[in-house]
Amino acid sequence: MAKEPVYKGNLYSYLKSKPGVYDSLVKVIDRIGLQKKLQDSTVTLFALTNANFQLAVQNLNNTLNVSDKPAQYLNSVKYEILDSLMCQYIIQGRISSDSLTNQDGKDVLGIRYGYPMHIGLNRQASSGYMNGGPTIVDFSDTRRSVFNRNWVTTETSSLNIQTDNAVVHVLNPDHVFGFNKFVSQIIYIPPPENLFKTIGGVGSASKETSGGPNAVEASKYVFDGNPETKFFLSSPGQFYIQWDFLVAVAANSYTLRSANDIQQRDPTDWTLQGWNEETSKWDLLDTKKDEAFDERFQLRVFFFTNTRAYKTYRLNIARMYGGSDFQLADWTMNRNQ
């Protein structure tokens, strides 16, 4: 049996000893102030090579270029983004592959912020034998979901490198730093002023979940601002959800947040209306078709042109992404400052 690679020194020194491999990783570690953690704490690192960071930066700048925005690099990206994403790859304690014999793997937390990740053992097939090939480790961003179908998983290219204070598993070169969240977090558009919080009002729906208004997935949860709750309907057909504000207010944006479960239940076609008290008719404010939520718990902001104040706004759901069932974590009406 081959001996595991061993480096005599701490994890930070090991990374510094590999120029041309971990230069970008060291740059990020230095920038977010994790040197000491990698020198004197017992950790497991899922190591990102230069290639992993290069893919992320390339994807970012391709996206920024489309919008005629200046390019960004690891030394200019917001500290908070690098910090939160990098901390997902460092786990407290030593976790070698032979400790993952449990079929279900191991739930772990990233350092500093306790972000939930998952590590699992994966034995590859070889020469016609199941589990007869090399062993790799699957490393997953759970997206805070208990359903592994919502996870984003990457694989290791080498395992169990030992330093004085750490175990290192090296990720495949095709892994993109940030589990595809790097670009979306940088170009994320924060929602404008939430009118429910500033104006006050009541949310309602034309159809209620089968368990009634107090069920765990009732309509009230699409208005509560909590991404962990949701409104679910089984094969509702066309229906609407509605905000009634205490006073008339001119909204010109709204947000929708995808829920925890499968993408097929996300809304994809809808219209937004405002009740015009002068004409006693609904005014059409926005129409969307073939929209998609690429991630679970994804918050999207939609802007529309409007100067008229309405007390009532209605979102008419016409179609779901891939089926008849509906789910949505949150809906807000907003006003740009």
Side-chain angles (χ1 to χ4, degrees):
M1 182 176 179
K3 295 183 64 175
E4 295 173 344
V6 176
Y7 175 81
K8 295 299 183 182
N10 63 55
L11 174 56
Y12 185 71
S13 297
Y14 169 72
L15 298 176
K16 296 276 285 186
S17 74
K18 299 290 183 179
V21 180
Y22 297 124
D23 310 79
S24 296
L25 178 56
V26 170
K27 179 183 292 187
V28 172
I29 293 298
D30 289 349
R31 208 182 146 202
I32 65 177
L34 280 175
Q35 303 97 318
K36 183 172 173 51
K37 191 78 172 177
L38 271 57
Q39 289 169 338
D40 59 17
S41 296
T42 302
V43 296
T44 297
L45 171 68
F46 284 84
L48 299 134
T49 64
N50 291 345
N52 303 134
F53 286 102
Q54 183 179 0
L55 285 171
V57 172
Q58 181 178 332
N59 290 346
L60 170 63
N61 287 328
N62 287 343
T63 303
L64 292 174
N65 183 59
V66 172
S67 304
D68 294 323
K69 295 180 179 179
Q72 291 200 48
Y73 301 95
L74 294 177
N75 59 356
S76 62
V77 170
K78 285 184 178 179
Y79 166 90
E80 294 82 2
I81 294 173
L82 283 182
D83 183 32
S84 63
L85 293 181
M86 187 64 237
C87 286
Q88 293 182 221
Y89 293 88
I90 307 172
I91 310 300
Q92 199 70 45
R94 289 178 179 265
I95 305 174
S96 58
S97 60
D98 58 10
S99 70
L100 299 171
T101 53
N102 184 331
Q103 185 177 2
D104 295 329
K106 185 186 294 287
D107 294 322
V108 295
L109 300 175
I111 61 169
R112 277 191 179 165
Y113 308 110
Y115 186 89
M117 304 292 288
H118 186 86
I119 307 173
L121 203 61
N122 185 348
R123 294 189 182 275
Q124 302 292 293
S126 177
S127 303
Y129 294 95
M130 290 299 294
N131 301 324
T135 297
I136 62 174
V137 168
D138 288 338
F139 187 49
S140 302
D141 178 350
T142 67
R143 302 297 174 97
R144 300 187 185 277
S145 173
V146 297
F147 301 105
N148 58 17
R149 60 177 173 266
N150 296 330
W151 298 356
V152 179
T153 299
T154 189
E155 297 177 346
T156 54
S157 61
S158 60
L159 298 174
N160 302 325
I161 300 168
Q162 304 290 325
T163 76
D164 289 349
N165 66 314
V167 176
V168 180
H169 306 301
V170 184
L171 296 177
N172 275 349
D174 61 356
H175 171 68
V176 180
F177 168 63
F179 290 88
N180 300 324
K181 294 186 294 189
F182 182 66
V183 174
S184 62
Q185 288 197 11
I186 292 174
I187 64 173
Y188 168 74
I189 302 174
E193 175 190 26
N194 184 322
L195 294 178
F196 170 68
K197 293 182 178 179
T198 58
I199 304 299
V202 177
S204 60
S206 62
K207 295 183 180 180
E208 186 56 87
T209 196
S210 59
N214 293 316
V216 295
E217 295 177 340
S219 62
K220 63 182 179 181
Y221 293 114
V222 81
F223 307 107
D224 68 352
N226 180 358
E228 300 295 332
T229 61
K230 70 178 180 182
F231 178 27
F232 171 80
L233 287 173
S234 178
S235 302
Q238 296 192 4
F239 68 102
Y240 64 81
I241 51 180
Q242 182 169 299
W243 273 114
D244 290 284
F245 294 109
L246 297 180
V247 296
V249 58
N252 46 24
S253 63
Y254 59 99
T255 72
L256 300 177
R257 187 187 293 272
S258 60
N260 64 319
D261 214 337
I262 56 176
Q263 186 185 41
Q264 283 76 6
R265 295 174 176 176
D266 296 340
T268 191
D269 294 357
W270 64 81
T271 59
L272 179 72
Q273 297 174 308
W275 178 250
N276 189 325
E277 294 185 348
E278 294 181 4
T279 62
S280 297
K281 293 181 179 179
W282 289 101
D283 291 343
L284 180 63
L285 304 176
D286 194 32
T287 300
K288 296 297 181 191
K289 185 175 178 61
D290 297 326
E291 294 291 335
F293 293 82
D294 298 323
E295 302 175 4
R296 300 303 82 206
F297 308 106
Q298 181 183 9
L299 179 67
R300 297 187 61 193
V301 183
F302 301 91
F303 296 92
F304 60 97
T305 301
N306 176 52
T307 57
R308 178 181 290 276
Y310 300 93
K311 288 185 69 175
T312 301
Y313 290 87
R314 177 177 288 182
L315 192 71
N316 302 287
I317 308 297
R319 186 169 66 93
M320 270 58 80
Y321 185 82
S324 58
D325 292 346
F326 162 83
Q327 66 175 13
L328 191 64
D330 287 300
W331 169 46
T332 69
M333 291 301 305
N334 305 73
R335 179 173 57 193
N336 305 341
Q337 295 292 336

